[in-house]
């Protein structure tokens, strides 16, 4: 079942180390099938050299394995929680990409300091709080998804305008309409995290991007009158 | 038309990710034909894997597409504005190369701190101001070109002596007599931006290069008595 | 003798430059055979291009060469000291990987600031003291092993929970149950060293990881109820 | 003439970009023939893609071209000055490797902070002063060599114990007994420059390496009782 989605998820996972977003198996990509309300995710801790598209695991939104002989990624319940709540997401990517993970460890949001950011993210990328002991004990991975959702709700953020989040002390989760876009958004996040660190080192008083330029760049790519690309 | 220039522009665009200056399609290279007063530029948002030389778009200095089935790069009007004003430029390259973009986000000029800089750029590389709301609304990309020109005029800079500019909050534009030189200048800019950040971290009181050494290095490569290379 | 172990040690040494952990011959990997109480280590200063599995040297825990025509790595006695004391170690890797070596030069422990760290190391990675003049003169490489052991004993650390150490002014030693794990642990160490530097630059008051999350991540991979991977 | 040396010099120059020490043609390697008192150096500004061993230029210690149809590297007189004074040098390499160049721009010496440094350099690597206007006008490249020699004499440094120098505002010159060693020394320099920057960022009060460990590591590789490698 879902053979094409398995192929896409397989390729997205292989793309993560090629793009410099992970080493070894420190990440996972998944994709969602809206009709069947199922998602495909990579198996846990399998070497990418020997992994094949058929090894991908199919799960439902109750965190149950629907098809597959291997155990799914241990972060699978986080994916389930996000697909359940963020209806129009087609793919989720979790990485330990070094600069975004560094930023996650700092506990701070990533401010929009340039148009590289504004071309993809409409405003700051939030850093979600640590899970508390109770949440960790109850269901760590599923509660991680809940903390992400809480972060977006409390701040009034739209997940399609800001398709990424940092987990304090952990690493990013990133999403998009399909695997290709989710991986690209993870690359953008990594790049802006790297650049923002050094921007404030060159000039400790460097401003964030003016709202008018943030609007312009985000809208020319994602607004109703977008004119970037061949669409 | 302009088949050879299309080939050169195509190759220059492919060179950008190879040189580490861009990821995905975050940049564009163009080249100008002085006789016909036309320039060739890459199409907007097309994957480099599937792009071919014939996909390049031919435009005139009024920002009109003269030949080509694809939409030109959304930054095309910036290129047009620069070719119109900076008569002897043969090629323009726009990248989001990380260190130059970081410097752009800082809002500061890049001072000449070493001979790597002086071999290509005769003095500081300016950081142009943000566009104001009126300019953004009127014609963002064309006005970007105008702000670059204003920067060079106000500061009395010669565009052939300082073949690059940073846009505050955005990224660099770089030029040269042909595609090869424009790409090389973008590489030099990236390298000096990276090195200058850390120079002042080693020694916060590090000086800029003495004028006599700046003169010597720039002139031995670009002066009337230049003796670098096989010319 | 120990042909399979020689092959593994050979491959682990070749993996070090590929993983960006060393340049030239600035490192060494070894593996231990519990039954025979012998270990296999790479020869000293041999080009990796011309090195073959048969060049690996077999040594015993008294630092004697048991088989091999080449001289073993000059750091061989450090490996011997560690295998003698840390009974269940299957492989040791010594690198000059840049970020871990930078941290070694700083003389500070590497604190656990994120889950990338907690997935492999249960708490801070210690930085062992300089050897004193007497130790250097007596038997530099063997005493290096003793200082590592002293560090773990004095601090009450378990070597299987924290499979790495930094040597002040030198570089890391890392271990694991086999070559593959030892190399992977060296990669994790390198990555967390890089990320921790910049975490405190983004936010000088960034906290270390809460104990509850450190526990959760370490245990889900290494505890009795571990559920990561396909085991 | 000197066909084998030409081949070695050719290969050393090609190795510079592969080792990440230069981009484009921003560097040069040469080698000296003691018997004939001649040296072979790369031509100026020739693309590495089209360069061949026969393009190497043979020069004497009076800075005259003895054989070759191409102009030698513009830095040729610096090489001549150093071969004339530092009798036992077999090869010189000049690069703009980014971290060593950054350190050159800072105007500071590179202190020995770890054994990676001590394995190759016996103490700090000096940063030579700027050339003054008179020296620049007289013979910039030859006087650059003289300033390097002056630096070693004034500080009582032995060029075989510290086979590298930084030129303030410029970049490093590095040497060795042959091309292979000179390139390797340039790689070590680049690595320690990178690591030292961040060592003092982790711990602003990080010490330099104790003299006893500096002695031990330098001597075990280069002393009369050296025991590193297969010699």
């Amino acid at each position: 079942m879902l053979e094409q989605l398995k192929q896409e998820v397989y390729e997205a996972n292989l793309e993560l180390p090629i793009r410099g977003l992970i080493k070894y198996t420190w990440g996972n990509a998944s994709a969602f099938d809206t009709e069947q309300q199922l998602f495909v995710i990579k198996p846990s801790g399998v070497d990418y050299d020997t992994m094949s598209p058929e090894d991908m695991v199919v799960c439902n939104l109750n965190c149950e394995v629907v098809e597959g002989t291997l155990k799914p990624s241990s972060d699978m319940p986080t994916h389930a929680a996000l697909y359940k709540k963020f209806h129009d997401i087609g793919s989720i990517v979790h990485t330990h990409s070094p600069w975004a993970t560094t930023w996650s460890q700092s506990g701070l949001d990533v401010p929009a300091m340039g148009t590289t950011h504004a071309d993809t993210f409409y405003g700051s990328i939030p850093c979600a709080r640590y899970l508390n002991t109770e949440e960790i004990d109850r269901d760590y991975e599923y509660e991680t998804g809940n903390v992400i959702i809480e972060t977006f709700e409390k701040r009034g953020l739209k997940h399609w305008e800001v398709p990424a989040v940092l987990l304090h002390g952990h690493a990013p989760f990133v999403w998009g309409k399909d695997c290709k876009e989710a991986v690209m958004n993870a690359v953008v996040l990594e790049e802006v995290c790297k650049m923002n660190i050094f921007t404030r080192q060159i000039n400790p008083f460097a401003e964030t991007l003016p709202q008018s330029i943030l609007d312009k760049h985000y809208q020319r790519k994602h607004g109703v009158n977008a004119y970037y690309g061949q669409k």
Side-chain angles (χ1 to χ4, degrees), chain A:
Chain A
M1 57 194 295
L2 299 173
E3 298 310 318
Q4 201 195 323
L5 215 55
K6 280 181 189 166
Q7 182 67 32
E8 281 172 38
V9 169
Y10 168 73
E11 287 173 10
N13 277 290
L14 291 192
E15 199 180 342
L16 299 181
I18 292 167
R19 292 276 180 192
L21 297 173
I22 66 160
K23 293 177 188 287
Y24 293 98
T25 60
W26 311 347
N28 39 73
S30 70
F32 189 62
D33 182 272
T34 317
E35 262 183 51
Q36 304 190 43
Q37 294 283 301
L38 299 171
F39 64 99
V40 174
I41 192 165
K42 116 179 156 60
S44 182
V46 170
D47 263 3
Y48 288 21
D49 292 344
T50 58
M51 198 167 69
S52 71
E54 303 83 55
D55 292 335
M56 301 299 110
V57 185
V58 182
C59 303
N60 66 22
L61 295 181
N62 296 322
C63 303
E64 295 160 338
V65 172
V66 173
E67 191 207 60
T69 53
L70 296 169
K71 283 168 55 185
S73 163
S74 55
D75 294 315
M76 178 268 281
T78 313
H79 293 246
L82 294 181
Y83 284 126
K84 203 181 239 172
K85 187 74 184 179
F86 296 168
H87 296 296
D88 48 353
I89 285 180
S91 173
I92 297 172
V93 166
H94 170 52
T95 81
H96 282 225
S97 67
W99 296 104
T101 303
T102 299
W103 210 279
S104 302
Q105 293 188 166
S106 82
L108 301 184
D109 297 354
V110 183
M113 305 203 72
T115 62
T116 316
H117 185 119
D119 284 338
T120 299
F121 300 102
Y122 192 50
S124 296
I125 296 153
C127 184
R129 66 168 173 82
Y130 289 132
L131 271 67
N132 60 39
T133 311
E134 199 196 316
E135 291 163 339
I136 294 169
D137 290 346
R138 196 189 310 143
D139 189 344
Y140 178 65
E141 290 81 7
Y142 195 77
E143 293 299 331
T144 295
N146 282 340
V147 167
I148 293 171
I149 292 161
E150 172 200 297
T151 303
F152 274 70
E153 286 181 343
K154 278 201 175 162
R155 303 198 189 190
L157 296 172
K158 289 161 187 145
H159 67 264
W160 63 88
E161 288 182 346
V162 182
V165 72
L166 305 180
L167 299 171
H168 193 178
H170 190 161
F173 274 82
V174 187
W175 47 85
K177 65 175 200 288
D178 54 26
C179 285
K180 201 176 159 184
E181 190 180 280
V183 172
M184 189 177 72
N185 291 348
V187 170
V188 176
L189 173 64
E190 178 67 1
E191 200 77 355
V192 299
C193 283
K194 177 186 171 184
M195 296 195 298
N196 284 6
I197 293 173
F198 297 103
T199 298
R200 282 272 164 87
Q201 293 193 359
I202 299 173
N203 180 359
F205 299 95
E207 312 158 50
T208 55
L209 198 64
Q211 187 66 37
S212 54
I213 300 182
L214 179 67
D215 287 347
K216 177 66 190 178
H217 269 263
Y218 186 77
Q219 299 301 338
R220 80 172 185 170
K221 267 197 146 169
H222 306 281
V224 284
N225 297 315
Y227 55 91
Y228 182 90
Q230 298 299 329
K231 292 162 274 185

